[in-house]
């Protein structure tokens, strides 16, 4: 088995819990006959819908959790 050099750590892209949740989510989408989307896509959709309904940026941030500053500028 190959060993990583000291200081280099392999971090999985998704945690086991996220993988399990995603697997069930995909099954539910398939069962409902809906196209596959990522959870992150739902986050963007939620932010867009709130913004289009005139919700203030602070409210959107509160609902979604704090967004980095560079994303805030994209919404304005």
């Amino acid at each position: 088995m190959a060993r990583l050099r000291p200081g280099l750590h392999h971090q999985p892209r998704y945690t086991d819990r996220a993988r399990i949740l995603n697997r069930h989510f995909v099954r539910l989408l398939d069962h409902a006959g809906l196209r596959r989307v990522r959870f992150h896509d739902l986050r963007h959709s939620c932010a867009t819908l709130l913004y289009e309904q005139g919700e203030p940026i602070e409210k959107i941030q509160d609902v979604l959790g704090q967004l980095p500053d560079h994303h805030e500028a994209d919404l304005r």
Side-chain angles (χ1 to χ4, degrees):
M1 179 174 208
R3 295 178 61 187
L4 296 175
R5 293 190 314 235
L8 296 179
H9 302 285
H10 171 72
Q11 293 184 353
R13 184 170 174 189
Y14 301 104
T15 64
D16 289 338
R17 290 175 65 189
R19 242 184 233 136
I20 291 167
L21 180 62
N22 189 59
R23 185 180 322 130
H24 289 289
F25 180 64
V26 168
R27 286 181 187 163
L28 288 171
L29 290 172
D30 290 344
H31 182 72
L34 300 171
R35 70 181 179 94
R36 290 185 179 186
V37 294
R38 299 171 302 155
F39 272 100
H40 195 73
D41 296 332
L42 298 177
R43 178 184 173 87
H44 282 270
S45 296
C46 177
T48 300
L49 290 170
L50 290 171
Y51 181 73
E52 288 177 349
Q53 291 177 2
E55 292 293 338
I57 297 295
E58 295 78 20
K59 167 88 175 196
I60 297 171
Q61 288 174 330
D62 189 43
V63 169
L64 299 177
Q66 188 68 26
L67 295 173
D69 290 337
H70 65 279
H71 288 294
E72 273 184 43
D74 293 344
L75 290 173
R76 292 186 180 161

